[in-house]
Amino acid sequence: MAVDLLGPAEIRDLAARLGVAPTKKLGQNFVHDPNTVRRIVATAGLSGDDVALEVGPGLGSLTLGLLSAAAHVHAVEIDAALAGALPDTAARRAGPAAARLTVHHADALRITAAELADPAPTALVANLPYNVAVPVVLHLLAELPSLRHGLVMVQKEVADRLVAGPGSKVYGVPSVKLAWYSHARAAGKVPPNVFWPVPNVDSGLVAFTRRDPPRTDVSRKQVFAVVDAAFAQRRKTLRAALAGWAGGADRAATALTAAGIDPGARGESLTVEQFAAVAASAPGATVAAQ
């Protein structure tokens, strides 16, 4: 379906008409290169029945691209002026496809599945504000079990952390928590010059595919508590780092040994499956749905 994408001149004209200036507080860097939009949409691998969820649509560059590929698009925008203008931009540049857009003036960190239920999103595709990228992704994966896959553009440093594996210097809490929900991979770099204003860092694309949790006998909350404790003092051995979580270093060592983990290891060496095993070995660990 033919959609008229926004270029640099259109982006600036639209912003001027709306009296909108990108703000660092909201992490706003608007994509103004149509080829980058086409690349993101193509890399996202949307099928004709996918319902796309976009966070931070801004002036609508990526929104227009998504309308050409998805059955429906939910756009979640915290800025009132931008949220109010997006339906008109879609109507003028996407034609009949604009009817498949639902705009939510809301905070993506607080939006609920009920607000996005008709129809439920199956793919997250977004140029995420750098300052909230990780918590937004984790919140949406927790809140929306309907999400099957996604592609997000984030600061390159954040992208590296999200896809890092055990043993990497940048492997940490975001890496493990995303691995709980999905298989993730790096999907390319994006240069600064495709944005307005131009950021002083490169961006990276992260693709993910939902998977079943590593195990069902412990909850996500229990596992994430172990992960948080392990990386809060990442230079310490797990025996020491998990002492507060377990109620003492000896109890931590007992749980680690029961899970087949060397108490002298560090958190950066453990897979998400191993963190789950430690949580399951903790005194009083119980089965829970979440």
Side-chain angles (χ1 to χ4, degrees):
M1 182 176 296
V3 172
D4 188 14
L5 298 179
L6 295 166
E10 291 87 354
I11 286 287
R12 290 180 181 274
D13 288 347
L14 181 55
R17 279 205 313 274
L18 296 175
V20 168
T23 70
K24 187 174 182 179
K25 179 181 178 182
L26 295 179
Q28 293 171 325
N29 295 92
F30 301 135
V31 179
H32 61 56
D33 177 50
N35 286 331
T36 298
V37 170
R38 294 186 187 99
R39 174 189 169 197
I40 292 171
V41 173
T43 305
L46 299 174
S47 65
D49 63 350
D50 264 317
V51 176
L53 170 60
E54 183 187 9
V55 173
L59 293 165
S61 301
L62 180 56
T63 313
L64 294 171
L66 293 173
L67 284 170
S68 70
H72 195 88
V73 177
H74 289 284
V76 179
E77 176 57 63
I78 196 170
D79 185 299
L82 293 174
L86 191 55
D88 179 65
T89 299
R92 287 187 292 106
R93 306 188 74 91
R100 297 189 273 106
L101 171 66
T102 303
V103 179
H104 306 263
H105 175 215
D107 183 347
L109 284 169
R110 292 178 172 81
I111 201 160
T112 65
E115 294 172 86
L116 299 167
D118 188 21
T122 61
L124 172 63
V125 187
N127 168 28
L128 292 175
Y130 289 166
N131 52 348
V132 294
V134 171
V136 163
V137 170
L138 296 178
H139 167 70
L140 293 174
L141 283 168
E143 182 67 23
L144 300 170
S146 61
L147 283 179
R148 300 193 301 257
H149 63 113
L151 181 78
V152 294
M153 181 159 57
V154 297
Q155 185 175 340
K156 181 63 168 54
E157 179 181 339
V158 175
D160 291 343
R161 290 175 183 170
L162 286 171
V163 303
S168 166
K169 291 182 179 179
V170 295
Y171 181 70
V173 171
S175 324
V176 184
K177 291 185 177 180
L178 183 57
W180 171 269
Y181 296 105
S182 66
H183 296 290
R185 62 178 177 84
K189 291 196 297 185
V190 181
N193 61 1
V194 304
F195 297 95
W196 174 65
V198 178
N200 58 6
V201 294
D202 284 337
S203 297
L205 297 173
V206 174
F208 65 85
T209 304
R210 174 85 74 166
R211 70 168 194 167
D212 291 332
R215 52 196 297 166
T216 58
D217 56 342
V218 285
S219 69
R220 179 183 70 240
K221 182 178 179 181
Q222 289 171 300
V223 177
F224 284 10
V226 180
V227 174
D228 288 337
F231 286 103
Q233 304 177 79
R234 65 182 297 151
R235 292 187 179 183
K236 291 189 175 182
T237 66
L238 286 169
R239 182 183 190 276
L242 298 182
W245 162 80
D250 289 343
R251 289 165 68 93
T254 298
L256 288 160
T257 301
I261 308 298
D262 177 3
R266 288 176 171 79
E268 61 197 29
S269 67
L270 268 61
T271 65
V272 66
E273 289 82 7
Q274 290 174 309
F275 277 112
V278 174
S281 299
T286 58
V287 177
Q290 297 297 317

